[in-house]
Amino acid sequence: MDVKLKPFDFAQAAARAGMPQVAERVRLATQSQGVEPASFQTSFSAALKSVSTAQNQATELQKQVQLGNSSVSLEETMVAMQKAQIGFQATLQVRNKLVQAYTDIMNMSM
């Protein structure tokens, strides 16, 4: 059996998985670099870094609110926490889809 694989488009996969925000971020990152669409590894790594950055920012805002910093509002902190949570959930869904696809491929009979 001869299987030919075409290049993987992470933005398209994220859009099909029902995650348009992730797909848009990947498209914007690819366009802003001024290069051809990135590989899956590069795109996935960039998405993970973005989620990590959002989580770190939310954590820092939480600390500032707890310390009583008047320049950081509770509303801003709550929005940052929600963004981080949504990003994490999207990443988790992509991981689940990848694991499922891998499992399906491994269970194929030749």
Side-chain angles (χ1 to χ4, degrees):
M1 179 176 179
D2 187 24
V3 178
K4 301 232 184 221
L5 298 175
K6 57 184 176 177
F8 186 81
D9 184 353
F10 183 75
Q12 185 181 31
R16 285 184 181 170
M19 297 176 285
Q21 299 88 357
V22 174
E24 187 61 28
R25 268 193 242 149
V26 171
R27 281 191 192 100
L28 290 175
T30 305
Q31 290 172 355
S32 68
Q33 293 172 355
V35 296
E36 291 186 28
S39 69
F40 174 77
Q41 179 181 358
T42 305
S43 298
F44 196 65
S45 178
L48 289 176
K49 285 179 185 176
S50 174
V51 170
S52 179
T53 301
Q55 288 178 328
N56 290 339
Q57 180 184 18
T59 301
E60 183 59 34
L61 288 173
Q62 286 176 353
K63 287 179 186 176
Q64 293 300 319
V65 167
Q66 289 173 349
L67 293 173
N69 187 344
S70 61
S71 65
V72 178
S73 69
L74 181 60
E75 294 83 7
E76 178 185 8
T77 304
M78 295 302 290
V79 169
M81 289 171 54
Q82 285 297 316
K83 285 182 179 181
Q85 182 180 13
I86 290 169
F88 178 76
Q89 291 296 324
T91 303
L92 186 62
Q93 291 299 320
V94 169
R95 182 199 61 100
N96 290 344
K97 295 287 183 178
L98 288 171
V99 169
Q100 183 63 44
Y102 176 78
T103 304
D104 291 346
I105 289 170
M106 295 308 290
N107 289 334
M108 286 183 181
S109 60
M110 292 193 174

